[in-house]
Amino acid sequence: MKQSNQADLILESMPRKAIKTRPIYGIGINDSVFCTAARLGGIGVNHRAYAAWKGMFKRCYCQTYQIEMRTYEGCSVGNGWHRFTDFFEWWKVNFVEGWHLDKDILVPGNKVYSKETCVYIPPELNFFVSMSVNRDDSHPIGAYRCSDSDKYFSKIRDRSGKSHHLGTFADAQDAHEAWIEAKLQAANSFKTVCNSIRPDLFKSLIAKIESMRSVRLSSAA
């Protein structure tokens, strides 16, 4: 359930003056009847729903942002959320204070923000399912080259953020497979919270981890 926020309530009580504004990244239409941003007590404030809505467009369409966060390449905002009021109706029912808007835990590999694919999840769950992004090597996820040998090691972070060494392996694929298995085991600690959000979320979490699995390529004869 949405927790109350005084700034949001104040903004919602203020009629919006400028109805026609430039579309966000040429796509998003702010059709709100109330102020989505204003200065309150000398401080600039955005309505939390507006901040979340605008943030989607930044992640999907800002080239500068995507240079830093390459996992958002090819992402888009679905037609159903091009207008702020449509997103706002969904947000009012689904938003939870401090949680993160996730687009691909329900549908692994999904790149479209929509009411069918998005869900608010706790930050520790979001961090847990996030892939190792912005790596410049070609090793499979969870595999890291040892600096002093031709071997590989793997590590995993638990829900508190603490890193755990999983071992040293002869090749990158072995390190990757150890990471996948450890990730699947660690996912069980999120089963209760997943079930409290929606009944199919834990199954989707397991499917997302499995979607990260890399298949070993057979050597040519």
Side-chain angles (χ1 to χ4, degrees):
M1 294 295 291
K2 173 190 169 186
Q3 298 182 16
S4 62
N5 180 276
Q6 190 63 29
D8 287 347
L9 296 177
I10 293 174
L11 288 171
E12 290 175 28
S13 70
M14 299 168 58
R16 186 161 169 246
K17 296 179 181 179
I19 300 300
K20 292 186 178 181
T21 56
R22 181 179 299 178
I24 305 296
Y25 292 99
I27 300 173
I29 304 298
N30 183 1
D31 57 346
S32 175
V33 296
F34 62 81
C35 281
T36 52
R39 294 191 67 83
L40 303 178
I43 300 175
V45 176
N46 285 322
H47 192 287
R48 288 176 298 172
Y50 179 71
W53 180 74
K54 190 175 180 180
M56 289 191 301
F57 287 93
K58 179 179 180 179
R59 291 191 291 275
C60 293
Y61 304 110
C62 177
Q63 295 182 352
T64 302
Y65 184 83
Q66 291 190 359
I67 290 174
E68 299 178 1
M69 301 296 291
R70 296 197 300 273
T71 54
Y72 289 104
E73 291 179 358
C75 290
S76 62
V77 178
N79 293 339
W81 278 357
H82 283 187
R83 292 185 177 276
F84 171 72
T85 53
D86 293 327
F87 174 78
F88 182 57
E89 287 302 311
W90 179 90
W91 182 91
K92 286 190 296 183
V93 176
N94 294 277
F95 172 75
V96 179
E97 179 69 31
W99 287 20
H100 296 174
L101 180 64
D102 184 275
K103 72 182 182 318
D104 55 10
I105 189 172
L106 290 176
V107 184
N110 174 62
K111 287 183 173 292
V112 180
Y113 283 91
S114 71
K115 64 180 180 180
E116 292 81 16
T117 58
C118 286
V119 62
Y120 270 97
I121 60 176
E124 60 268 23
L125 177 57
N126 191 32
F127 294 143
F128 178 77
V129 298
S130 295
M131 297 178 66
S132 297
V133 298
N134 299 328
R135 289 179 60 177
D136 294 324
D137 57 59
S138 59
H139 305 319
I141 185 171
Y144 300 86
R145 183 74 173 266
C146 295
S147 59
D148 57 352
S149 72
D150 291 333
K151 294 184 177 181
Y152 295 81
F153 70 93
S154 187
K155 60 183 179 180
I156 189 174
R157 292 186 182 276
D158 60 25
R159 61 185 303 163
S160 67
K162 183 178 180 180
S163 180
H164 298 273
H165 183 69
L166 299 177
T168 303
F169 305 86
D171 61 38
Q173 188 65 26
D174 287 341
H176 162 72
E177 290 172 359
W179 183 90
I180 288 289
E181 295 308 316
K183 201 77 170 174
L184 289 170
Q185 183 63 34
N188 288 318
S189 67
F190 290 98
K191 188 170 185 178
T192 299
V193 68
C194 284
N195 290 340
S196 70
I197 297 172
R198 51 185 294 166
D200 59 342
L201 188 56
F202 182 70
K203 182 179 179 181
S204 296
L205 169 61
I206 297 301
K208 177 162 184 177
I209 296 172
E210 287 287 0
S211 74
M212 302 177 191
R213 190 186 292 274
S214 215
V215 179
R216 184 188 294 273
L217 298 177
S218 300
S219 300

